[in-house]
Amino acid sequence: MLDLRTIGKVYFLLPLLQAAVSNEWTADKPSHVTSQRGLCARIPCHYRYPSRLDKKSRTGIWYNSENPKNRHIVFHSSDHSREMQKFQHRTRLSGDLNDDDCSLVIDNITQEDEGPYFFRIEFKGKKRYNYLPVTRLRVSDFTDKPMIFAAELVEGKSVNITCIFNTTCDGTSPTLTWVTPTDIPPSVSSSVTRWHNTLTYTSVLTMTPALKHHGQNLTCRVRYPSVSSEQSLTLTVQYAPQNLSITSPKNVDNFWLSMKEGIPTSILCSVLSFPVSNLTWRHLGVTLNATSSSNELWLEFPQVTPQQAGVYQCVAENEHGTAERAVTLAVEYAPKNLSITSPENRNNLWEIMKEGIATSILCSVQSFPASNLTWRHLGVRLNTTSSSNELWLEFPQVTPQQAGVYQCVAENEHGTAERAITLSVEYKPEISRDSGCTRTPEVIICVCAARSNPPGELTWHLPLANLSGNQTHGRFQTWQVADGQLVTSSLTLGVSEEEEDVSAFCTVQNQHGEVMFAVSVWIKGGVSAVWITVLLTSSVILSTLLAGLFVYKCIQKWDRRTKEKDLEILDTTVSSSARLTTPQDTERQRTRQIPQEVSPVTSVGEGAECDPVYANLRELPGGGGPVRRGETVIYSELHFRSIGPA
């Protein structure tokens, strides 16, 4: 029998024995496990038991209950038919009972799967143990998403984009799929790796991004039998600057911008690129302004001027390339800086030309749009051109009559400009029809008048002297006046009682030539018969007609004179002639001291005389204007009358 002392020792050792036994039946498992709906739930579990049972066969059982008496079996390693129907084909152990791994996996978790779970081990020979306390399973919404890892996307370069999904559930495997733009052909590779209790599902998409893919979405989707989730990526395709455009509030038409002078304007350069470009405005090779990392750049003109017209380039640049575009800025303005020039002269106000020379005058102006130009003279439009900033005025052979003021008028829709030039035509002297002789009872006055440009130097050549300006020599006196291009001088000769034959001539010369006007004066008997003739050289035909007429008259009068008394000469005879000369003519004339006289028309045949004649100098009908070289003009009109009985 046990004594009290022994019984006391047993009672003292019993708790220690129970503790020792209890330490042999333990399990490592969490008090709570949370799983997302649709995934699998894994309750990690490692159990211990007495070592003497190592060789015993065993059965592992999981219950969905807090009370071991409730037989709500979730998993039965020996007989799956004993499992609750809702758990059949959904539960399994992730490890091996013989390795002391009792971890439970429940696939396709639903909300109804929430609750307590505990593990029971049964060894052959009726050794069994319930591992308490329970583990509580909580079910949450499915929130896990795949992750997309995108490499740098560059237009035209092939790239791999990776999608991964991590899970601790090694039950039903998820499926990874790609949702791509429709024009990207599928090229996908998949793999699964494990790291401890974590499974990593990987899907790699190979694609060649294009500019059109920039901004589109790329989606990786993970799918379980009852749930799915996805992750999207907005594609940012890097590309060189493209679609560079230049615009303005005033409109840019086909790379052309037209503005009115003085109006503020602005031009916008914009481009598509990624990363964004550095933009620069340039003009005539000079950088005007620039911006860093921006796809827009404005060029401002507070008040546009014609000097700012021209070509402006916008250059966009990033790490992948460069784009450039140009716009022409046209500044519209009224005509300005109108100038008149010629090949011979650069004076804008005065043009001096020699008679007979071909010349041309250019009128040019600055304006936009181009001006309509018109040449005018004396209020008459000479020629015109439309939409051109140059207009020539041609003179095939300039004449003195074309001298004067010429206006050039430039006009466009914004205004008008005008300028004038004076055309001065230089020519050699020409005897004016105002030249001739008249008589009073006391004097004979001969007038020599000539036009030339520049005005000529006029000299009277007498038998014993040369007079110019206002001078007196004996009975001869000269008086001279200049009026523009006309130089006029009068020679006054006092009448004497004696018979006198006087010849004189005046010359007018400038750098372009010389002209001569000759006068022959015959004074006989001191009575007042005056014969005056102004004759131009080269008047052969008309002089012949007049000479024939005169001879005919003289013959008639000669027949009558044989029956009459001696003729009393009543008047003095004066004759004058004018002819245009060359410098050679002038030299020959001067060597003879006086010009060759024009024989008095009262002498017909040797020793014969006509009746006394009264000749009165007047303009011929139809005359007018100065004498021209090459013309034949006679200025006298002769009136004949007999003195005495017929």
Side-chain angles (χ1 to χ4, degrees):
M1 292 184 63
L2 295 175
D3 55 15
L4 293 174
R5 187 175 181 178
T6 302
I7 295 173
K9 288 181 179 180
V10 171
Y11 277 102
F12 174 75
L13 293 174
L14 183 61
L16 296 177
L17 180 61
Q18 290 176 341
V21 172
S22 175
N23 286 335
E24 289 182 345
W25 298 91
T26 61
D28 295 326
K29 54 187 180 66
S31 61
H32 293 84
V33 171
T34 300
S35 179
Q36 297 182 45
R37 180 172 52 84
L39 301 184
C40 68
R42 182 176 182 274
I43 302 176
C45 175
H46 284 83
Y47 67 99
R48 284 183 293 275
Y49 51 89
S51 57
R52 69 178 180 276
L53 300 177
D54 280 345
K55 303 300 181 179
K56 298 287 186 180
S57 62
R58 66 199 71 180
T59 299
I61 305 170
W62 276 92
Y63 292 94
N64 179 208
S65 173
E66 291 187 21
N67 187 351
K69 294 181 180 181
N70 295 330
R71 301 302 183 183
H72 297 159
I73 297 176
V74 174
F75 172 78
H76 197 288
S77 62
S78 298
D79 187 1
H80 294 299
S81 64
R82 297 177 63 182
E83 298 171 354
M84 297 175 63
Q85 185 176 0
K86 70 175 184 177
F87 288 107
Q88 286 183 3
H89 309 297
R90 292 177 54 211
T91 59
R92 54 193 169 82
L93 296 180
S94 64
D96 191 340
L97 286 176
N98 293 324
D99 294 333
D100 305 332
D101 189 348
C102 56
S103 299
L104 174 67
V105 176
I106 306 174
D107 289 332
N108 300 327
I109 290 294
T110 65
Q111 202 69 40
E112 290 77 15
D113 295 333
E114 282 189 334
Y117 291 82
F118 71 90
F119 176 66
R120 175 185 176 88
I121 189 70
E122 293 181 353
F123 289 95
K124 188 176 181 181
K126 297 185 180 180
K127 293 293 184 182
R128 55 185 63 88
Y129 188 82
N130 295 324
Y131 290 91
L132 296 172
V134 299
T135 296
R136 292 194 173 277
L137 175 64
R138 295 176 181 175
V139 178
S140 65
D141 291 336
F142 179 59
T143 58
D144 284 353
K145 292 180 179 295
M147 293 180 292
I148 299 177
F149 296 90
E152 183 178 77
L153 303 180
V154 179
E155 180 188 19
K157 293 183 178 180
S158 179
V159 66
N160 292 330
I161 302 177
T162 302
C163 177
I164 66 172
F165 181 75
N166 293 322
T167 182
T168 59
C169 180
D170 60 354
T172 303
S173 299
T175 302
L176 290 179
T177 57
W178 289 94
V179 179
T180 65
T182 56
D183 61 339
I184 297 180
S187 177
V188 178
S189 62
S190 301
S191 64
V192 181
T193 59
R194 178 187 290 272
W195 179 255
H196 298 298
N197 293 324
T198 300
L199 292 172
T200 300
Y201 294 84
T202 303
S203 180
V204 178
L205 172 69
T206 301
M207 64 175 291
T208 300
L211 175 58
K212 59 185 176 181
H213 299 142
H214 184 75
Q216 294 189 20
N217 289 331
L218 184 66
T219 301
C220 178
R221 181 174 294 160
V222 60
R223 185 183 296 279
Y224 282 95
S226 60
V227 293
S228 66
S229 66
E230 62 186 33
Q231 183 72 44
S232 294
L233 172 70
T234 299
L235 297 178
T236 53
V237 181
Q238 298 189 25
Y239 56 96
Q242 299 184 18
N243 298 335
L244 191 151
S245 65
I246 296 177
T247 57
S248 168
K250 304 297 182 181
N251 267 340
V252 175
D253 182 17
N254 195 25
F255 313 111
W256 182 276
L257 175 61
S258 183
M259 293 297 301
K260 186 176 179 181
E261 180 182 15
I263 301 299
T265 190
S266 55
I267 309 174
L268 174 64
C269 176
S270 59
V271 70
L272 295 177
S273 70
F274 187 82
V276 291
S277 297
N278 298 328
L279 289 175
T280 303
W281 275 108
R282 293 180 184 150
H283 177 54
L284 300 177
V286 178
T287 296
L288 302 179
N289 64 340
T291 183
S292 178
S293 300
S294 174
N295 277 348
E296 287 189 354
L297 180 61
W298 286 92
L299 181 61
E300 304 286 346
F301 296 92
Q303 282 189 323
V304 67
T305 66
Q307 291 73 24
Q308 292 171 318
V311 178
Y312 291 79
Q313 297 91 13
C314 179
V315 181
E317 184 177 13
N318 70 4
E319 61 192 81
H320 301 295
T322 302
E324 181 175 343
R325 190 163 186 174
V327 63
T328 298
L329 176 62
V331 181
E332 297 187 5
Y333 58 97
K336 62 176 63 175
N337 298 332
L338 191 150
S339 64
I340 298 176
T341 57
S342 74
E344 293 80 14
N345 187 17
R346 295 296 176 183
N347 190 326
N348 278 355
L349 301 176
W350 192 273
E351 176 77 9
I352 300 176
M353 294 299 301
K354 184 178 177 181
E355 179 185 18
I357 301 298
T359 189
S360 56
I361 306 175
L362 173 64
C363 176
S364 60
V365 71
Q366 295 176 356
S367 70
F368 187 81
S371 296
N372 299 327
L373 290 175
T374 302
W375 275 107
R376 294 193 179 114
H377 177 54
L378 300 177
V380 177
R381 177 181 294 180
L382 302 179
N383 65 338
T384 186
T385 183
S386 176
S387 299
S388 173
N389 278 348
E390 287 190 354
L391 180 60
W392 286 92
L393 182 60
E394 305 285 347
F395 297 91
Q397 283 189 324
V398 68
T399 65
Q401 289 74 22
Q402 291 172 321
V405 178
Y406 290 79
Q407 296 90 14
C408 179
V409 181
E411 183 177 11
N412 69 6
E413 59 194 79
H414 302 296
T416 303
E418 181 175 343
R419 190 158 190 159
I421 186 173
T422 299
L423 178 62
S424 176
V425 181
E426 293 191 351
Y427 58 96
K428 53 190 172 183
E430 300 172 345
I431 293 296
S432 170
R433 66 184 303 158
D434 295 331
S435 301
C437 298
T438 59
R439 179 198 170 162
T440 67
E442 294 81 15
V443 295
I444 295 174
I445 302 174
C446 290
V447 175
C448 180
R451 293 183 181 275
S452 64
N453 187 23
E457 297 178 1
L458 189 149
T459 303
W460 282 101
H461 301 271
L462 305 176
L464 299 178
N466 294 331
L467 303 181
S468 61
N470 302 328
Q471 291 183 309
T472 301
H473 179 75
R475 290 185 295 120
F476 292 95
Q477 183 180 12
T478 60
W479 176 81
Q480 183 173 314
V481 64
D483 182 11
Q485 298 178 0
L486 178 66
V487 177
T488 304
S489 179
S490 63
L491 174 66
T492 302
L493 171 63
V495 178
S496 67
E497 295 297 329
E498 300 177 357
E499 181 177 335
E500 190 173 7
D501 188 354
V502 179
S503 293
F505 71 96
C506 81
T507 59
V508 184
Q509 65 176 356
N510 65 8
Q511 66 262 38
H512 301 297
E514 184 178 79
V515 69
M516 179 186 295
F517 179 76
V519 175
S520 181
V521 180
W522 178 30
I523 304 174
K524 184 178 180 181
V527 292
S528 58
V530 179
W531 182 91
I532 303 173
T533 304
V534 179
L535 179 64
L536 294 179
T537 56
S538 303
S539 58
V540 178
I541 298 176
L542 188 55
S543 296
T544 302
L545 294 176
L546 290 174
L549 176 63
F550 189 77
V551 170
Y552 175 75
K553 290 284 187 178
C554 288
I555 292 174
Q556 286 184 329
K557 291 180 182 297
W558 178 261
D559 290 339
R560 289 196 299 270
R561 186 167 180 182
T562 57
K563 302 176 183 180
E564 296 174 354
K565 299 178 181 180
D566 293 337
L567 175 64
E568 180 182 4
I569 304 301
L570 299 179
D571 288 325
T572 301
T573 301
V574 181
S575 68
S576 63
S577 65
R579 63 191 180 96
L580 300 176
T581 64
T582 64
Q584 292 83 357
D585 297 333
T586 303
E587 184 61 29
R588 289 195 301 270
Q589 188 68 21
R590 286 174 177 167
T591 58
R592 297 176 55 191
Q593 299 295 326
I594 60 174
Q596 181 179 358
E597 297 180 4
V598 180
S599 300
V601 294
T602 55
S603 175
V604 181
E606 186 176 353
E609 292 185 358
C610 293
D611 284 344
V613 176
Y614 178 79
N616 198 17
L617 179 65
R618 297 193 303 175
E619 295 182 1
L620 289 176
V627 178
R628 301 288 180 197
R629 288 181 298 284
E631 294 180 351
T632 301
V633 180
I634 292 182
Y635 289 92
S636 61
E637 182 176 316
L638 305 181
H639 297 268
F640 304 97
R641 65 184 178 87
S642 297
I643 305 298

